[in-house]
Amino acid sequence: MPSPMDLLDGLNPQQRLAVTAPPGPILVLAGPGSGKTRVLTHRVAYLIRELGVPASQIMAVTFTNKAARAMRARLEALVGPASGRDSVSLGTFHALCARMLRREAEHLPFRRDFVIFDDADQLSLMRQALKEMNLDPKQIPPGKVQALISRAKNELIEPEDFAASSYIGEVAKRAYQRYQQLLLQNNALDFDDLLLFAVRLLRDHDEVRLAYRRRFPHLLIDEFQDTNTVQYQWLRLLAGDPPDLYAVGDADQSIYRWRGADVRNVRRFQEDYPHAQVFLLEQNYRSTQTILDAAMGVIDRAPGRQRKRLFTDRGHGELVSIHEAYDEADEAQYVVETLVEGAHAGAWSPADVAIMYRTNAQSRVLEEAFLRHNLPYRLVGAQRFYGRREVKDLLAYLRLALNPSDQVSLLRVLNTPPRGLGAKTIETLLALADQKRIRAADILQDLSGRDSVFRAAFGTRPASALADFGQRLIAWRALAASAPVGTLLEAILRDVRYREFIDDGTEEGEDRWANVEELINLAQEDPELGLEVLLENVALVSDQDTLAEDQNATTLLTLHSAKGLEFPVVFIVGLDDGLLPHQRSYDDPEAMAEERRLFYVGLTRAMDRLFLVRAFRRHAAGGSSLAEPSRFLSDLPADRIQGDAPTRLTRAQAVYERQTRWEGSTPTPLEARYRAGMRVRHRSFGEGMVLESRLSDGEEELTVQFEVGGLKWLAASMANLEILEG
DNA sequence: GCATCGGATTTTTTT
DNA sequence: AATCCGATGC
């Protein structure tokens, strides 16, 4: 074990002060790369080693499970391995709340073995609720209602208090109640419920709250700027008296407003705890000064923000590179080529590089480029493993075996693989269950008996199919209670002949079966792991958690999931207005400010090299369109960037160059009357140059740069252009 | 009851 | 562009 004071070795004076502050409400405001996580970890070690706090009295909230694991590992290096009972409680809000709710289930309207519904399950349940209310899913999109309810839950708003200010709000209010009933009937909670019920529990049960306060007198929270109302209330309820609440965050990196996160919690913290000690960590240890200057150029333009200086002693390093590509394929091509060049030159290895984008959809083209060049990559998020159909099927079987009340899972698997049970039969089954006030699963199990009273309700064939399923279910439940998860899973696979169903010999079928095998491995990895815990882990893993450390692979990830990470080399692609900032943020200044912060988060992930890329043309939802360069690009200090910084003026020239280049390789279709480079005259816009001609649906669409009129998109048949030369 | 086809709808970000 | 949903036909 290291000697006492080396706990502070390698910490700068600011960090030391923050780590050794006397317990109480403490706010550490820290810029990117300033050693936030390090301070947090050392703080925990300090409590244990210097103040003699038992590890089991400490609870620390991290943003991802991966961050929790990383912190545990770093902690072990500082205080030695956690011994049995005496370990720090570490996890995400959701994981910690789930644990709390299971322990305290007796106080709550659901059972200890509740399951956690993911968004697909939630949507399915919401559809059911709306259907019961005789609402047309086309008029009332279940997803919208679900979003409204989720937002309400994050704001701690109960169904009764839901403000129904619009028609959809009115619907949502009623749907909220029904949806909540259905969840309880399923013995299920959605993500938001984990937090909501935990807050209710602590709020309404004094003895529970006091017990938890005694149990965890020391609370720490990372990424505090991204807490929402429920999470903040949870912290407040849990914080004892006097509170030892240690919050670390950076308002400039708040990027989850849409999920209910409220940066104002930072200010609220200081109001709620007027004596809170505040520490600022300013020195950056991650990036070159050039990168920091670029990032400051962007964030300083954020409205209503105090200017903050980011500095490093790492030196200036290389300029930030900016590149404008033709379209997203060209963009991906540029990224891959630059990546390979650098790797060959020994400037970096592919594993040092991360490629970031605003939307998951953008990863596809990049993946293709990587595959084409035979380059290894790892993709964070997107189509997550647990989201795959076959995996969801099997998880539904497992959930059903654990919790027969889970009707959503039952309905998912009842006829998967097909066993002759159609809509009619299922309708009868549900009606019967409703009428007798028992669970559908109970009817199935009863049907498997010799002479069930329920048999009469069904036709002969459906009845025996249902009975067969019921019999299996009984067997699976027995296994769930007695055997390791792997055994149960294998029994299910065998019983329902799942492989025959999923693996049809095609490549896709093989892929799907491979996923199943991966799930089997996961289940067998830790035979001690109970079904309950496995399902909970699966429900609460985040995209980042799936990111394996190993390999020599480049990382592809969204800007959101890049939070908290760092890479020697960062590419940010898709720097177009409409993508970053995203179009959906145009009419909301707050949303626009968040887009800016998101860009800032991306920029500050880079240690040594930063490449910013955009595409002149972008394909989306069928057609293609021309994009303006991201407005944020013009906020980068000119003396910190190199390459073809796209301004409107140079853009017109770039467009012309590119057009001639690309149109040259793909001959203009015969029907087109205009070509890029032609000079034309328009009745009102005057003279200009055709930048692009594109045929779609028999119409010729033109992009023309007019000398007086500016850049215009025209339909050739309407525009009546006079060709001057070309 | 099941398969196939066409159409609508989606994509912003995630625990 | 891809997936999911529903309607239609067998």
Side-chain angles (χ1 to χ4, degrees):
Chain A
M1 186 114 115
S3 71
M5 279 332 276
D6 64 15
L7 194 59
L8 301 179
D9 282 357
L11 296 181
N12 71 27
Q14 287 174 318
Q15 292 173 331
R16 282 183 195 205
L17 281 177
V19 165
T20 59
I26 292 170
L27 193 54
V28 179
L29 299 175
S34 61
K36 249 184 312 191
T37 315
R38 196 174 158 77
V39 165
L40 202 61
T41 315
H42 282 249
R43 172 66 174 184
V44 174
Y46 177 79
L47 289 176
I48 295 172
R49 276 179 43 187
E50 301 301 319
L51 302 190
V53 172
S56 60
Q57 287 186 4
I58 300 172
M59 173 155 10
V61 189
T62 56
F63 200 71
T64 63
N65 293 297
K66 183 172 176 249
R69 277 198 302 274
M71 189 160 159
R72 195 177 292 284
R74 293 170 80 163
L75 212 45
E76 284 191 0
L78 290 173
V79 298
S83 58
R85 310 226 84 227
D86 195 38
S87 64
V88 178
S89 280
L90 256 171
T92 62
F93 276 110
H94 290 84
L96 292 169
C97 286
R99 208 176 298 164
M100 186 184 272
L101 294 180
R102 288 201 201 282
R103 194 189 302 265
E104 306 299 331
E106 55 184 293
H107 302 290
L108 297 159
F110 42 80
R111 295 200 313 273
R112 188 170 307 264
D113 58 357
F114 66 82
V115 293
I116 299 166
F117 274 8
D118 69 13
D119 12 307
D121 305 321
Q122 290 169 37
L123 211 55
S124 154
L125 203 64
M126 183 54 72
R127 283 211 178 84
Q128 192 187 332
L130 294 176
K131 201 169 166 185
E132 285 178 15
M133 294 163 63
N134 285 319
L135 291 164
D136 179 9
K138 291 206 176 71
Q139 304 285 314
I140 307 289
K144 282 236 171 66
V145 181
Q146 165 61 31
L148 282 173
I149 293 175
S150 172
R151 203 186 312 163
K153 287 182 172 182
N154 283 324
E155 293 294 320
L156 266 175
I157 296 169
E158 319 262 338
E160 312 83 70
D161 309 325
F162 193 92
S165 50
S166 60
Y167 174 58
I168 189 150
E170 177 62 40
V171 172
K173 185 190 178 96
R174 285 187 295 139
Y176 188 174
Q177 290 172 348
R178 183 62 190 141
Y179 171 76
Q180 213 55 35
Q181 277 173 0
L182 287 173
L183 275 173
L184 290 183
Q185 269 176 34
N186 281 271
N187 192 31
L189 302 185
D190 66 19
F191 288 131
D192 305 316
D193 281 341
L194 295 174
L195 305 162
L196 192 56
F197 276 107
V199 164
R200 282 188 197 152
L201 172 75
L202 295 171
R203 189 189 57 198
D204 301 338
H205 298 269
D206 296 343
E207 75 287 358
V208 178
R209 183 175 63 252
L210 290 177
Y212 269 92
R213 286 184 174 185
R214 260 197 305 276
R215 193 182 145 93
F216 296 111
H218 307 278
L219 291 180
L220 300 96
I221 156 87
D222 198 6
E223 307 285 8
F224 181 68
Q225 77 282 356
D226 279 322
T227 53
N228 60 32
T229 303
V230 203
Q231 292 166 341
Y232 185 64
Q233 283 311 318
W234 186 79
L235 287 173
R236 288 224 58 196
L237 285 164
L238 223 43
D241 194 19
D244 183 35
L245 180 55
Y246 199 89
V248 179
D250 177 9
D252 290 336
Q253 295 185 61
S254 154
I255 55 174
Y256 283 93
R257 199 183 71 102
W258 49 273
R259 201 166 81 184
D262 191 349
V263 214
R264 284 175 305 179
N265 282 339
V266 175
R267 209 179 56 216
R268 199 164 298 152
F269 185 98
Q270 287 169 284
E271 286 163 8
D272 289 343
Y273 301 106
H275 302 298
Q277 307 166 75
V278 179
F279 297 93
L280 302 177
L281 304 184
E282 288 167 312
Q283 181 162 8
N284 178 294
Y285 294 95
R286 177 185 296 152
S287 312
T288 64
Q289 190 61 49
T290 301
I291 290 169
L292 293 181
D293 290 345
M296 279 191 288
V298 169
I299 200 66
D300 278 346
R301 296 272 193 113
R305 179 182 164 280
Q306 213 184 327
R307 274 176 100 87
K308 199 161 65 185
R309 236 192 90 56
L310 300 175
F311 63 93
T312 180
D313 53 17
R314 284 208 49 204
H316 286 280
E318 310 243 8
L319 293 176
V320 176
S321 297
I322 298 192
H323 177 73
E324 179 177 67
Y326 175 64
D327 60 7
E328 61 268 298
D330 187 35
E331 187 179 60
Q333 180 74 13
Y334 166 78
V335 169
V336 168
E337 275 171 9
T338 312
L339 167 66
V340 170
E341 264 171 41
H344 282 160
W348 56 69
S349 101
D352 294 334
V353 181
I355 303 163
M356 302 174 187
Y357 35 81
R358 176 68 234 266
T359 69
N360 280 305
Q362 291 169 259
S363 71
R364 192 189 196 87
V365 207
L366 290 162
E367 281 188 82
E368 283 165 8
F370 273 79
L371 288 170
R372 239 195 337 271
H373 287 80
N374 233 342
L375 287 169
Y377 68 90
R378 54 191 186 146
L379 186 71
V380 182
Q383 170 63 298
R384 32 208 306 202
F385 175 68
Y386 296 112
R388 312 250 161 99
R389 195 188 358 182
E390 58 279 13
V391 178
K392 285 221 67 178
D393 282 348
L394 293 173
L395 290 175
Y397 272 106
L398 292 177
R399 294 206 314 203
L400 187 63
L402 175 73
N403 170 27
S405 301
D406 184 347
Q407 204 182 74
V408 170
S409 292
L410 174 66
L411 294 183
R412 182 184 181 101
V413 299
L414 196 53
N415 202 34
T416 311
R419 39 178 84 89
L421 297 169
K424 191 70 202 302
T425 310
I426 288 171
E427 197 185 312
T428 312
L429 174 68
L430 294 184
L432 196 56
D434 203 44
Q435 183 196 333
K436 302 282 184 204
R437 305 205 163 275
I438 53 174
R439 302 179 299 190
D442 295 328
I443 296 182
L444 300 185
Q445 299 191 45
D446 193 79
L447 274 168
S448 71
R450 293 210 81 192
D451 30 38
S452 166
V453 291
F454 298 121
R455 229 164 231 280
F458 301 95
T460 331
R461 233 186 306 176
S464 58
L466 289 171
D468 186 56
F469 191 89
Q471 198 164 15
R472 306 270 192 220
L473 181 56
I474 292 173
W476 297 331
R477 290 183 63 186
L479 279 178
S482 62
V485 185
T487 313
L488 171 63
L489 188 55
E490 281 176 345
I492 291 169
L493 287 168
R494 180 162 27 82
D495 289 352
V496 305
R497 308 163 71 77
Y498 197 75
R499 183 165 189 174
E500 285 93 317
F501 169 62
I502 209 73
D503 188 359
D504 53 3
T506 64
E507 198 176 332
E508 198 193 357
E510 278 173 32
D511 281 352
R512 292 193 180 283
W513 181 249
N515 287 328
V516 173
E517 287 184 320
E518 205 174 321
L519 186 67
I520 299 174
N521 287 339
L522 193 85
Q524 290 174 338
E525 213 166 70
D526 184 359
E528 296 294 302
L529 205 66
L531 180 54
E532 208 171 279
V533 182
L534 177 96
L535 289 177
E536 178 168 317
N537 289 348
V538 164
L540 295 181
V541 284
S542 70
D543 289 334
Q544 276 198 34
D545 298 331
T546 61
L547 195 140
E549 278 305 330
D550 57 349
Q551 322 167 47
N552 193 30
T554 304
T555 307
L556 272 53
L557 75 181
T558 64
L559 288 161
H560 279 90
S561 42
K563 182 164 87 155
L565 304 176
E566 63 179 18
F567 301 89
V569 182
V570 168
F571 289 80
I572 302 178
V573 301
L575 282 163
D576 307 333
D577 254 30
L579 260 184
L580 187 69
H582 197 274
Q583 195 155 12
R584 299 274 271 245
S585 63
Y586 281 0
D587 49 2
D588 179 355
E590 297 275 337
M592 181 59 76
E594 180 147 306
E595 297 288 306
R596 181 180 290 280
R597 293 195 295 268
L598 188 56
F599 184 37
Y600 173 73
V601 166
L603 295 171
T604 53
R605 299 309 94 194
M607 298 159 77
D608 306 318
R609 289 302 309 269
L610 189 53
F611 295 88
L612 306 177
V613 197
R614 72 169 297 262
F616 156 72
R617 167 186 292 286
R618 209 164 274 282
H619 301 263
S624 78
S625 55
L626 306 184
E628 293 285 336
S630 169
R631 61 194 70 183
F632 300 148
L633 287 174
S634 49
D635 298 332
L636 298 167
D639 54 351
R640 296 291 183 270
I641 56 182
Q642 62 183 3
D644 43 348
T647 65
R648 271 160 214 255
L649 249 180
T650 62
R651 181 166 172 269
Q653 294 153 5
V655 167
Y656 172 67
E657 275 168 36
R658 273 165 223 291
Q659 282 301 309
T660 47
R661 184 139 53 97
W662 264 274
E663 299 296 324
S665 58
T666 23
T668 313
L670 287 174
E671 297 86 346
R673 288 178 53 216
Y674 302 90
R675 279 185 316 158
M678 276 182 172
R679 294 202 53 80
V680 292
R681 193 199 331 261
H682 184 271
R683 220 158 38 98
S684 44
F685 298 134
E687 287 188 20
M689 186 199 288
V690 176
L691 301 181
E692 185 205 31
S693 155
R694 161 169 168 261
L695 292 166
S696 89
D697 295 317
E699 178 58 272
E700 186 176 5
E701 292 172 17
L702 300 175
T703 311
V704 186
Q705 174 74 50
F706 290 102
E707 277 150 18
V708 189
L711 193 65
K712 298 286 177 197
W713 284 267
L714 304 168
S717 61
M718 308 294 289
N720 249 329
L721 294 172
E722 180 189 348
I723 298 175
L724 301 176
E725 54 174 286

